[in-house]
């Protein structure tokens, strides 16, 4: 296994897993010193870690006090738990890439009447076009489609809230949180995983939901519909009220998430957002300037700030990717069918302005 | 959060989470240096890690080549996946503690006809007594009940195989693997989590199953019964055939598990088993010698070697537990109702003979 030993000087601008947040290594060393991995997940010491992590996430993302914040193993798991707990019969999905499509597929697998409105990769949704039925139970939105670099404007989410006041609105913000300044009071549930913008080792998902979701889940249980087992909403909230998790969780991951959120709160979310906007502006500028690229998402309002996708005109894209690796930068390849024709550049809080300036130079010269 | 900063010299003889295996810290440092957390979970480099980890587990536990080994987030999750994938209508559970009871509860939550045969805490099962129906689909056994320290003799498991050749036999070996020299050809599926005997940070479960399980799961799907989504057997095997996982997994956990299994293989499983037997013998001797304790599991053949439970006669048990902490040893408290009356001592591969000798001295004097 020597072939990844040369990775230690690399900057990973990949859309997840990605470069670890620059403070993570020190936090891991401290956790080992303090034996965080050996203490009981039912101990006071671990309950305090849970309290700390949740309060730091809440502060960072401005999540209302009456919204629950709980832990799962991945955002993938949360797709499953949302369908299991928040849909009795149907769900509706806006699909414009591989991940929004998988969310839809999960509903099919769980035997719901799943419907979708699908647009081509690289496109966003025009609200006037959407044939969403008025009585939709669960409306699933992907705020940032990691496969195609399409972002949904927050104002569009708020419009959907107005149009469908009775639906549960679920927002996948896996590869954008905590960048979007989402008004949580306008949605019912949202989620992310930690190996994207939070720059943490993979293996932890964060699920945020409100009291309406709790009520919906209880309604399913009353109707005799299984909501799952240990990670049903009722089991999760019973435990989190005691600052615990139903199972022995990824304790190190929960500890590290709290520490990184604390670091980000110290830096301030405003500063992080400003820097991400700056780096995104720089990158889209470089892609426009170079004759070798075409920005994949044509409409500016749909362009993601955190996952930037471009067609590479001189294919295969792997030639460019290897060239960038020589400069200690790894960008992501395209997803699925776009693998050989596109690059995907992650623009996360840990990625420095300097790295982006170097990458912009390299892309303009490429 | 200063109140756990004094934990750094402690020896955790707790039944999970427990003391990290003594090589884990170095492996984590190497993983950070090699950027294991930043590489793609679809990369060749990570596929090689998956191959390595699976081959080391297979060697360590002598798992036949035709048994699948896949990863989940916890053993708790595997209870759910087993019921979802391996029972169309019913499951039968031998219950003698909190964890075997939870396995049963999961089947109820998933709307199966779940039956159980329950004995009091601290007791094992006499095979002649068991009223298991001949047509049972899924027979769930807990080889080592972490809450009560009762172990099921392997010969009893093999007897059940003979009696119920058509049932799928599932074996929870969460707090004993890799200690029991289980003949996998006599069971269909088994599982464990990594924060017990493997001495790893929590957040990873390992699920082992054979082709019969795959067929059963496909039969459910053909019958229109949901087997879940990303962690259905069909999704897991589709991915593991490519040395991948359906979701972005706990990559660091998978890497570390491979490294620790490699370390254990170097030490040899025979040496590890011999040492665990020696330490168990020592501990049961000390508990018998002292007038302050009574071994909780009365019948010797049912006594666990890896989780040793004793009644503390001079209650509360917390006085004793605090006394041991002064000698840098933390043992577990009793589980549930036994919390104030019992201690639980983990006897895992990372716990040294020297620590056990010290603990035996302390218990005899206590």
């Amino acid at each position: 296994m020597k072939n990844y030993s040369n990775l230690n000087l690399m900057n990973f601008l990949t859309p997840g897993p990605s470069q670890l947040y620059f403070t993570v290594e020190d936090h891991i060393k401290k956790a080992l010193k303090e034996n965080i991995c050996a203490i009981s997940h039912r101990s006071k010491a671990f309950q305090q870690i849970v309290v700390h992590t949740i309060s730091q996430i809440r502060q960072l993302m401005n999540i209302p006090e009456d919204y629950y914040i709980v832990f799962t193993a991945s955002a993938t798991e949360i797709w499953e738990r949302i369908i299991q707990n928040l849909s009795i019969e149907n769900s509706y999905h806006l699909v414009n890439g591989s991940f929004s499509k998988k969310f839809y597929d999960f509903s099919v697998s769980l035997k719901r009447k799943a419907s979708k409105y699908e647009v081509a990769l690289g496109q966003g949704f025009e609200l006037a076009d959407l044939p969403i039925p008025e009585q939709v139970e669960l409306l699933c939105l992907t705020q940032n489609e990691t496969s195609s670099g399409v972002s949904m404007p927050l104002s569009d989410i708020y419009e959907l809230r107005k149009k469908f006041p009775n639906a549960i609105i679920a927002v996948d913000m896996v590869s954008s949180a905590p960048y979007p300044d989402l008004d949580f009071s306008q949605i019912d549930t949202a989620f992310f995983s930690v190996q994207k913008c939070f720059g943490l080792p993979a293996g932890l998902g964060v699920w945020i939901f409100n009291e309406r979701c709790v009520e919906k889940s209880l309604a399913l249980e009353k109707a005799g519909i299984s909501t799952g087992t240990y990670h049903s909403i009722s089991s999760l909230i019973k435990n989190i009220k005691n600052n615990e998790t139903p199972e022995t969780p990824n304790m190190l991951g929960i500890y590290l998430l709290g520490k990184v959120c604390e670091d980000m709160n110290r830096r301030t979310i405003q500063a992080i957002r400003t820097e991400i906007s700056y780096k995104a502006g720089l990158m889209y500028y470089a892609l426009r300037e170079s004759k070798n690229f075409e920005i994949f998402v044509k409409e500016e309002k749909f362009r993601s700030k955190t996952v930037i996708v471009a067609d590479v005109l001189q294919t295969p894209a792997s030639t460019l990717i290897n060239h960038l690796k020589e400069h200690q930068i790894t960008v992501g390849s395209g997803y699925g069918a776009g693998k050989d024709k596109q690059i995907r550049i992650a623009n996360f809080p840990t990625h420095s302005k300097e790295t982006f300036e170097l990458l912009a130079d390299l892309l303009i010269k490429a």
Side-chain angles (χ1 to χ4, degrees), chain A residues 20 32 53 91 99 103 117 173 200 216 225 227 287 309 330 357:
Chain A
L20 290 182
L32 289 170
T53 300
S91 65
F99 295 99
F103 201 174
Y117 178 75
M173 51 197 311
L200 286 161
K216 179 86 185 192
I225 300 165
T227 53
L287 292 168
V309 179
T330 296
E357 284 157 2

Side-chain angles (χ1 to χ4, degrees), chain A residues 181-197:
Chain A
D181 188 9
L182 178 64
D183 176 358
F184 279 84
S185 74
Q186 307 237 24
I187 61 129
D188 299 295
T189 178
F191 56 97
F192 60 87
S193 51
V194 301
Q195 75 276 13
K196 312 278 186 185
C197 290

Side-chain angles (χ1 to χ4, degrees), chain A residues 37 40 59 141 145 167 221 229 281 306 319 352:
Chain A
C37 297
S40 166
Q59 180 186 337
L141 312 176
E145 177 48 79
E221 286 175 13
T229 62
T306 53
T319 308
S352 72

Side-chain angles (χ1 to χ4, degrees), chain A residues 14-30:
Chain A
T14 43
S18 196
Q19 195 68 35
L20 290 182
Y21 196 70
F22 58 95
T23 59
V24 167
E25 188 160 340
D26 282 348
H27 291 312
I28 290 177
K29 284 177 184 164
K30 194 151 177 267

Side-chain angles (χ1 to χ4, degrees), chain A residues 59-77:
Chain A
Q59 180 186 337
L60 186 70
M61 296 177 65
N62 197 22
I63 299 168
E65 280 298 329
D66 57 349
Y67 278 57
Y68 293 91
I69 301 173
V70 302
F71 304 106
T72 69
S74 61
T76 302
E77 184 189 346

Side-chain angles (χ1 to χ4, degrees), chain A residues 209-223:
Chain A
F209 54 81
N210 65 11
E211 202 58 50
R212 277 181 83 187
C213 295
V214 178
E215 283 162 22
K216 179 86 185 192
S217 174
L218 292 176
L220 265 77
E221 286 175 13
K222 269 182 201 147

Side-chain angles (χ1 to χ4, degrees), chain A residues 295-341:
Chain A
I295 296 170
F296 184 53
V297 180
K298 297 292 167 273
E299 277 202 75
E300 202 171 334
K301 68 173 177 176
F302 294 132
R303 277 180 199 157
S304 169
K305 296 278 202 290
T306 53
V307 179
I308 296 164
V309 179
D311 288 325
V312 182
L313 302 183
Q314 290 180 355
T315 52
S318 55
T319 308
L320 171 77
I321 291 172
N322 287 332
H323 167 69
L324 297 174
K325 280 183 183 170
E326 288 168 19
H327 296 266
Q328 271 75 53
I329 291 177
T330 296
V331 300
S333 57
Y335 195 88
K339 193 166 175 61
D340 293 331
K341 297 179 296 187

